[in-house]
Amino acid sequence: MIEAELSRSVKRWCKGATGAACAAKLSGGASQETWRFDITHPDGAIGAILRRSPKGYGAAPTRAAGLAAEAQLMQLAFEAGVPSPRVMHVLVPEDDLGTGFIMQRVEGETIARKILRDDEFAAARPHLARQIGGILAALHRLPKDKLPELRSRSATQEIAEFERDYRSLNWPKPVFELALRWLRDHDPGPSAETTLVHGDFRNGNLIIGADGVRAVLDWELAHLGDPMEDLGWVCVNSWRFGEIDRPVGGFGSREELFAGYEAAGRKVDPERVKFWEVMGTLRWGIMCGGMMQRFREGPDHSMERAMIGRRASETEIDLLRLLAPRGS
């Protein structure tokens, strides 16, 4: 049925389009879906992606920017030369598809184990960490006066919020207690500069080809804050997928990441990056704990939630490594 709705929509805004075909659902959470489809056109099929909240679903979660903001950010990034899909259409009521947007499909790979191991990406891998540094620098330069309305959180507020989330799980973990104390003791205070922060910039949210990064995906956690947060998050061990000696996504070093960032004209503060890497590791651990809680208490006892939930123990090991005195 969605192909009929997509066909009616694309005929209205894509000049020459004759309909939509080959629609396939890529993902579907509690309130958001992603669909792959082709726009049929006399000049050849146009690959497209629909990202939407179907009719009848409410607002996005508290930390999410919202689909309208996502579309605006992605288009702003695309126009500024940041690798990002081109937004083709923002849904309107006449589309009868809910809320969301349609973007041009970017071909490539997002599955980390393939990117880190397949021969197809062997030539790109040595350059990815530095390339990512340059991309983050460009993202952090996007003009604030053109950004949509976004939430803003200081490091102090984030510590307090994650502590509340952790306490609500009623699942005591001494290592998490240690991390919270470390974060409070090492809170760097307000950043000298507030920029757009992607919020989930990591291996798995990047489309990568043999030539390197082709697009940055999943802007739903974008907000205003310390730009070093993005550099810390991309180094969290959970995004290395087994390649623990290469902190940046499993394919490069922090030094390469920082060099790419500074070559693009921005300054790195390694101590603040370390703070946000610890914060990001704890954040993921708490998120895993939330998955386990929903597995235990919710009506949907999916194995995926249980498998993610058990990864909380991995983040405890990661935190101990991060918090160990240097040289130990």
Side-chain angles (χ1 to χ4, degrees):
M1 185 173 70
I2 196 169
E3 282 189 7
E5 295 164 334
L6 286 168
S7 291
R8 288 192 294 269
S9 172
V10 299
K11 287 176 186 177
R12 280 195 298 271
W13 53 264
C14 183
K15 186 176 180 181
T18 58
C22 304
K25 195 176 187 180
L26 299 180
S27 68
S31 62
Q32 293 188 1
E33 297 175 353
T34 302
W35 291 79
R36 173 190 178 107
F37 70 100
D38 290 334
I39 299 172
T40 55
H41 194 281
D43 295 335
I46 302 169
I49 297 288
L50 165 68
R51 184 162 164 77
R52 70 161 184 167
S53 287
K55 293 174 290 182
Y57 284 88
T62 306
R63 294 180 71 85
L67 288 168
E70 275 192 70
Q72 189 173 340
L73 288 168
M74 291 173 71
Q75 189 59 22
L76 180 63
F78 176 82
E79 292 169 357
V82 178
S84 178
R86 180 172 68 88
V87 176
M88 304 169 73
H89 176 67
V90 176
L91 299 180
V92 296
E94 292 77 15
D95 293 313
D96 200 30
L97 285 163
T99 59
F101 56 92
I102 294 170
M103 53 187 166
Q104 191 159 10
R105 193 163 69 234
V106 177
E107 300 298 341
E109 187 57 74
T110 60
I111 298 174
R113 63 178 175 79
K114 293 186 177 182
I115 295 165
L116 295 176
R117 293 166 177 79
D118 286 5
D119 291 343
E120 179 184 353
F121 308 102
R125 279 194 292 269
H127 309 289
L128 287 174
R130 187 180 180 96
Q131 185 183 11
I132 282 171
I135 291 169
L136 281 171
L139 190 154
H140 295 156
R141 279 199 305 268
L142 292 177
K144 289 174 64 176
D145 60 350
K146 292 186 178 180
L147 301 178
E149 185 175 349
L150 298 169
R151 67 180 179 89
S152 179
R153 291 285 190 280
S154 67
T156 305
Q157 290 171 317
E158 291 281 54
I159 295 169
E161 184 170 332
F162 287 129
E163 181 166 9
R164 285 194 300 271
D165 291 344
Y166 163 63
R167 303 285 178 211
S168 73
L169 299 176
N170 194 27
W171 190 12
K173 287 186 172 293
V175 177
F176 285 12
E177 300 283 353
L178 175 67
L180 284 165
R181 185 172 69 185
W182 187 94
L183 288 167
R184 287 191 293 266
D185 291 346
H186 293 80
D187 184 345
S191 174
E193 180 186 22
T194 299
T195 70
L196 171 67
V197 176
H198 180 276
D200 201 12
F201 192 105
R202 60 178 176 83
N203 202 353
N205 284 341
L206 304 171
I207 297 178
I208 293 176
D211 52 347
V213 179
R214 293 178 178 173
V216 180
L217 303 177
D218 291 350
W219 295 68
E220 63 183 331
L221 296 180
H223 58 279
L224 299 176
D226 183 348
M228 297 300 102
E229 179 181 346
D230 277 334
L231 277 72
W233 182 245
V234 77
C235 291
V236 168
N237 189 38
S238 296
W239 318 136
R240 303 176 200 173
F241 296 89
E243 302 292 336
I244 63 173
D245 294 330
R246 297 184 177 91
V248 184
F251 35 63
S253 68
R254 293 182 183 87
E255 291 74 19
E256 290 167 318
L257 173 72
F258 296 169
Y261 194 80
E262 295 198 333
R266 293 189 55 84
K267 184 70 176 172
V268 173
D269 184 334
E271 290 302 315
R272 293 186 82 99
V273 174
K274 166 77 178 287
F275 171 85
W276 286 110
E277 185 176 344
V278 174
M279 176 84 88
T281 304
L282 177 63
R283 166 186 163 190
W284 177 237
I286 294 170
M287 290 168 69
C288 291
M291 284 287 188
M292 182 60 77
Q293 184 182 58
R294 286 192 286 278
F295 169 75
R296 288 170 169 167
E297 300 177 0
D300 177 15
H301 299 291
S302 75
M303 288 304 297
E304 182 181 14
R305 285 180 177 169
M307 290 172 67
I308 294 174
R310 68 180 294 277
R311 295 190 66 188
S313 61
E314 297 174 9
T315 66
E316 292 181 271
I317 298 170
D318 295 339
L319 285 166
L320 287 173
R321 288 191 180 121
L322 282 168
L323 301 181
R326 287 174 181 168
S328 64

